[in-house]
Amino acid sequence: MIQVVSLVGQASAAALPSILDVSGNLWLDVALKVVAIVALFLVAPLAIGYMEHKVMAHQQARFGPMDVGPHGTLQLVADGVKFMQKEGIVPRAADRWVFGMAPAVSLVAVLVVFLVIPFAPGLWAQDLDLGLFYVLAASSVGVLGVLMAGWASANKFSLIGGVRAAAQLIAYELPMVLAAAAVAVQAGTLSLAGIVEAQATSLIPGTSINVWYVFPQFIGFALFYVAALAELSRPPFDMPIADSELVFGFLTEYTGIRFGLFLLAEYAGMVAFSAILTVLYLGGWQILPGLAVPGCDGLFDCRWWGTLLAFGVTAGKIAALTFTMIWVRATYPRLREDQLQRLSWLALIPLSLLNIAVVAAAKVVL
Amino acid sequence: MLLEIRGDGDFATQDMTLSIGPQHPSTHGVLRLIVELDGERVVQATPVIGYMHRGFEKLAEHRDYRQIMALVNRHDWLSGFCNEVGVALAVEKMLEMEVPERAQWIRMLIFEWNRILNHLMFIGSFGLELGAITPMFYAFREREEIQYLLESATGGRLHFTFTQVGGLKNDLPKGFLAESERLVGVLRGRLRDYEDLLLGNEIFQARTKGIGTLAPDVACAYGVSGPILQATGVAEDVRVSEPYLKYDEVPVEIPTGATGDSYDRFWCLINRVRVALDIIEQIHDRVPSGPVNVRLPKIVKAPEGAVYVRTENPLGQCGYYLVSDGKKTPWRLKMRTPSFSNMSVLPTLLEGILVPDLIAILGSIFFVVGDIDR
């Protein structure tokens, strides 16, 4: 383990052999990576959007998403066309510049998260030494877009929604960071690829017991999952949107493609947080605890089908986590904002502190 | 409008006036609430009604007794059949007319199905107001089946216009009772889904228990009735206290709550569906054969005088005060509708609570705006 960590820790980005690496041509390399990430960023949310349509249609006996095209496969296309042809309305009293920038801020915050997520050995745009730190910092910027939207809309419902989002961010950033910190303590690294690799090595030195961190840190996993739902404003924590209370909260004044971009950011956020959960707790691309992907040797050395297989495993785990997010949405009503705050400050934060203490103690003892 | 500044120095906050409705997803139509907010706390809430006043009572003075049926089943569009029956009962009482047994039992059967149709809408929409989307789809799935059943007999889905003075327009189609029996079984099973998804849900309980508590004496003082009154612990139901149709021949249970909060109101609503299913099962075995209407002259004229008839409509007590001067149209038809009285207690419930609770309370005061703005 030490060896792996030091390898990831010391190797500079340019020196990493990666599947996207194009024989040392830095600019071509960068360009290819950017294209790949943007493509992933645009395709993954569509897949999630389609999944949400279908899963909720089955769970809730809906007819609509089964109708458009064969088994409802064209619903998403129809939605896209609808978003694009609708009139983009800006309220007269709105702060036009901030109003227009808000969806972009939300989107970019998620986009940059995708840069560091390891989908398979070597399959990442950039492995940062401070990957975990970077991911948490970047993802929390998205709430700024929500705040901007709420403030600039010049609508009282939007304003309340924006302020709720800000309060939610402050309450949920803390348990999330603390839960992630416990993972970093156990893995001994902040690099996301390093964390995945650390889960492949034995938990107790001298034995061959392999575990994913979801087992020793189940509390941390649950905390991170709940906090991710809150960060994404997904039910039961969708108070900033709250269609029955605030009409549509910070989204009330957004129409057409601007609304579509917020939606895209939400789905991309679901992918991003599911990917982070996969990396931190579910062993990344490993098939089972202690069972590495065949065709892969170490962090960087994979045959092409090994990379593909590893990517499939990661994608499967992401899909499973996203499925549960949709399932939760179909099951639970919405909490009240003060109940959300109470849950965070009185339950999640003490639990996450306990989690860190236990993990640190175990680390010292072992 | 009073706008106040609360607190002082850096912590001073200014009240904000928020207009919820007339077009707002939680106002079920065109109710408007003018809310004074201090942050998210409601300082004062004033309902504004009358956006869709359609003058039913005045129109009734210009329609003959048959045409009134098509009018009254529209003010509360979720209990159309129940409204028809109320007016028919009033006219029949005035004419001192004996309605055939079979017609009375069938009226009761459809009355109860209409009650379930109505309650399902509120079971679904209350979940929706708390952010639970699934119950709405489930409720509409069930509503569709009931509407299909009732359509087979009446030809209508909401505005049945099935009742006539002196009985019913048609007899039931073949196989209606068997299909009705099957549907009772289906609904009994599906009621459990609602209980699991809503009543048993921790978040639902946290959002509704102790929220919008209504005291029984306050409820009585405002003339609140139906599930909202029963939730406060008052076992009042016209079907029991002043039976009409054949309600004195079947047992009618009155579910009552203990605290009168939003949770109890919803609990009462779900249990009223269960009671209605029990009643429907009783009716199936007891519908006699025979005619379903009496032959009437082309123009029905009620004799001079006045009657007052009460029915337990899905949302509460509905009263019909009918005054006739012997002509073919009523001289006056005054309706007492449940939504109006239930809505009047709202401002007292809304002071000092949070915006999300406002929605939870508004959703648990089950109302139809047409029933308020007749």
Side-chain angles (χ1 to χ4, degrees):
Chain A
M1 188 174 105
I2 307 290
Q3 215 172 8
V4 171
V5 171
S6 64
L7 173 69
V8 174
Q10 287 164 8
S12 73
L16 286 182
S18 132
I19 193 168
L20 290 171
D21 185 46
V22 188
S23 59
N25 186 334
L26 182 67
W27 291 110
L28 188 59
D29 184 43
V30 167
L32 271 178
K33 281 172 174 173
V34 167
V35 168
I37 288 298
V38 170
L40 178 76
F41 177 76
L42 290 178
V43 171
L46 294 185
I48 299 301
Y50 180 68
M51 184 165 149
E52 180 152 74
H53 272 139
K54 301 304 283 187
V55 168
M56 283 180 39
H58 282 287
Q59 284 174 340
Q60 303 178 326
R62 290 191 188 206
F63 293 120
M66 301 287 180
D67 252 19
V68 188
H71 201 59
T73 38
L74 294 179
Q75 176 70 46
L76 217 60
V77 180
D79 272 352
V81 172
K82 184 188 76 181
F83 282 135
M84 269 181 281
Q85 68 175 11
K86 279 201 173 176
E87 188 185 0
I89 299 167
V90 182
R92 189 181 295 161
D95 187 333
R96 290 191 76 93
W97 193 80
V98 180
F99 186 84
M101 283 300 289
V105 171
S106 282
L107 267 179
V108 171
V110 194
L111 178 59
V112 294
V113 171
F114 279 91
L115 285 173
V116 294
I117 292 171
F119 289 97
L123 190 64
W124 52 70
Q126 192 73 45
D127 185 57
L128 292 181
D129 297 348
L130 288 172
L132 184 56
F133 187 71
Y134 168 83
V135 157
L136 293 174
S139 65
S140 63
V141 172
V143 179
L144 198 62
V146 173
L147 253 178
M148 285 165 67
W151 177 256
S153 289
N155 179 318
K156 289 169 184 173
F157 290 115
S158 303
L159 181 64
I160 298 178
V163 172
R164 280 184 180 186
Q168 212 160 303
L169 166 78
I170 294 165
Y172 278 84
E173 200 65 0
L174 217 48
M176 183 182 263
V177 170
L178 289 173
V183 171
V185 167
Q186 193 170 354
T189 174
L190 281 168
S191 154
L192 292 180
I195 289 172
V196 173
E197 205 56 28
Q199 294 178 65
T201 52
S202 72
L203 177 69
I204 303 161
T207 64
S208 60
I209 306 166
N210 280 302
V211 288
W212 293 346
Y213 289 163
V214 65
F215 299 114
Q217 296 197 28
F218 185 75
I219 295 174
F221 175 73
L223 288 171
F224 200 101
Y225 183 81
V226 171
L229 283 180
E231 196 109 319
L232 287 166
S233 300
R234 292 279 300 177
F237 306 113
D238 58 337
M239 300 81 157
I241 299 168
D243 52 330
S244 59
E245 295 157 22
L246 305 180
V247 187
F248 235 76
F250 67 92
L251 288 173
T252 306
E253 297 291 355
Y254 281 86
T255 54
I257 196 67
R258 286 201 188 95
F259 180 83
L261 290 181
F262 268 117
L263 215 59
L264 196 69
E266 183 186 328
Y267 288 139
M270 283 168 78
V271 182
F273 275 109
S274 297
I276 297 167
L277 274 161
T278 304
V279 166
L280 295 189
Y281 296 99
L282 298 180
W285 53 76
Q286 293 155 38
I287 296 171
L288 282 171
L291 178 59
V293 178
C296 280
D297 185 24
L299 253 183
F300 312 107
D301 191 16
C302 261
R303 266 167 278 175
W304 65 269
W305 53 272
T307 305
L308 211 59
L309 190 60
F311 180 76
V313 170
T314 311
K317 287 175 186 175
I318 292 174
L321 283 168
T322 323
F323 174 81
T324 57
M325 287 181 179
I326 297 166
W327 192 358
V328 166
R329 178 177 180 192
T331 310
Y332 280 102
R334 182 182 306 119
L335 274 170
R336 214 165 54 205
E337 184 68 32
D338 62 310
Q339 290 170 338
L340 167 126
Q341 298 288 340
R342 183 166 296 132
L343 176 71
S344 172
W345 295 102
L346 296 184
L348 299 190
I349 291 176
L351 267 177
S352 57
L353 289 171
L354 181 76
N355 185 40
I356 284 199
V358 170
V359 170
K363 187 84 179 167
V364 171
V365 171
L366 298 173
Chain B
M1 214 91 333
L2 78 168
L3 283 179
E4 270 183 52
I5 301 209
R6 283 159 210 282
D8 49 13
D10 289 343
F11 297 106
T13 55
Q14 194 185 355
D15 282 2
M16 176 168 90
T17 309
L18 188 68
S19 198
I20 296 182
Q23 275 105 24
H24 185 280
S26 299
T27 54
H28 297 221
V30 282
L31 178 74
R32 183 177 174 211
L33 280 173
I34 298 176
V35 186
E36 299 293 324
L37 291 180
D38 174 25
E40 279 211 46
R41 200 161 280 283
V42 176
V43 179
Q44 192 189 354
T46 320
V48 181
I49 61 171
Y51 280 92
M52 59 179 303
H53 183 67
R54 288 167 292 173
F56 278 120
E57 290 168 3
K58 194 71 194 167
L59 282 172
E61 293 168 18
H62 297 274
R63 302 282 190 278
D64 70 36
Y65 288 103
R66 284 188 182 127
Q67 293 168 324
I68 292 176
M69 296 299 161
L71 274 184
V72 289
N73 67 18
R74 276 163 172 78
H75 66 83
D76 175 354
W77 47 76
L78 293 177
S79 18
F81 187 81
C82 310
N83 303 334
E84 295 170 20
V85 169
V87 174
L89 286 175
V91 179
E92 284 154 10
K93 193 173 175 186
M94 226 169 193
L95 292 166
E96 289 173 1
M97 178 187 282
E98 202 55 48
V99 179
E101 287 270 304
R102 183 172 170 82
Q104 294 203 30
W105 283 98
I106 294 174
R107 273 183 183 179
M108 204 158 95
L109 176 67
I110 300 184
F111 201 100
E112 291 304 315
W113 271 124
N114 201 164
R115 185 187 309 281
I116 295 173
L117 206 56
N118 175 301
H119 285 357
L120 279 173
M121 175 65 113
F122 288 101
I123 288 169
S125 64
F126 188 43
L128 201 63
E129 264 141 63
L130 297 177
I133 37 182
T134 308
M136 191 70 178
F137 289 98
Y138 283 6
F140 267 77
R141 178 186 60 190
E142 269 77 283
R143 270 173 61 84
E144 197 61 38
E145 291 200 45
I146 299 171
Q147 281 178 330
Y148 188 75
L149 173 79
L150 298 187
E151 194 182 354
S152 73
T154 65
R157 288 163 60 82
L158 279 179
H159 308 307
F160 301 107
T161 330
F162 191 48
T163 311
Q164 286 180 340
V165 176
L168 298 166
K169 203 165 69 184
N170 305 106
D171 205 341
L172 293 179
K174 241 184 192 166
F176 184 92
L177 290 181
E179 178 63 14
S180 174
E181 182 77 53
R182 186 190 70 83
L183 217 48
V184 168
V186 169
L187 271 164
R188 277 197 201 284
R190 295 199 178 152
L191 269 185
R192 262 175 249 133
D193 294 348
Y194 298 111
E195 285 172 340
D196 291 346
L197 268 174
L198 293 170
L199 287 177
N201 186 296
E202 296 86 352
I203 295 180
F204 181 85
Q205 290 177 3
R207 286 291 308 275
T208 53
K209 280 197 171 164
I211 302 298
T213 306
L214 184 61
D217 51 333
V218 177
C220 291
Y222 275 95
V224 167
S225 58
I228 301 159
L229 178 67
Q230 288 162 3
T232 65
V234 181
E236 160 64 25
D237 193 314
V238 182
R239 288 177 292 177
V240 176
S241 58
E242 203 177 282
Y244 51 99
L245 295 175
K246 292 288 174 188
Y247 280 111
D248 47 350
E249 292 185 29
V250 290
V252 180
E253 188 196 329
I254 308 175
T256 49
T259 56
D261 56 10
S262 299
Y263 182 86
D264 276 8
R265 287 194 276 274
F266 190 73
W267 184 88
C268 279
L269 195 74
I270 282 200
N271 279 281
R272 273 164 74 98
V273 176
R274 181 157 291 133
V275 171
L277 290 173
D278 291 343
I279 295 175
I280 288 171
E281 273 194 331
Q282 299 264 335
I283 298 172
H284 285 151
D285 308 330
R286 302 183 62 173
V287 180
S289 54
V292 292
N293 48 22
V294 288
R295 281 194 71 82
L296 286 174
K298 208 153 194 132
I299 295 168
V300 183
K301 283 185 183 169
E304 261 180 68
V307 289
Y308 185 71
V309 168
R310 296 199 294 161
T311 55
E312 181 72 17
N313 270 24
L315 299 176
Q317 252 184 56
C318 214
Y320 302 88
Y321 181 58
L322 181 66
V323 185
S324 168
D325 55 358
K327 300 213 179 79
K328 64 176 182 177
T329 63
W331 184 79
R332 179 85 170 95
L333 176 66
K334 168 71 187 143
M335 280 180 280
R336 181 252 186 246
T337 51
S339 298
F340 184 83
S341 311
N342 293 354
M343 178 55 60
S344 64
V345 80
L346 194 63
T348 61
L349 285 179
L350 292 184
E351 264 168 49
I353 49 131
L354 294 163
V355 171
D357 288 343
L358 182 152
I359 303 299
I361 294 171
L362 194 64
S364 67
I365 303 287
F366 316 108
F367 65 92
V368 169
V369 179
D371 208 26
I372 303 170
D373 299 348
R374 290 180 304 275

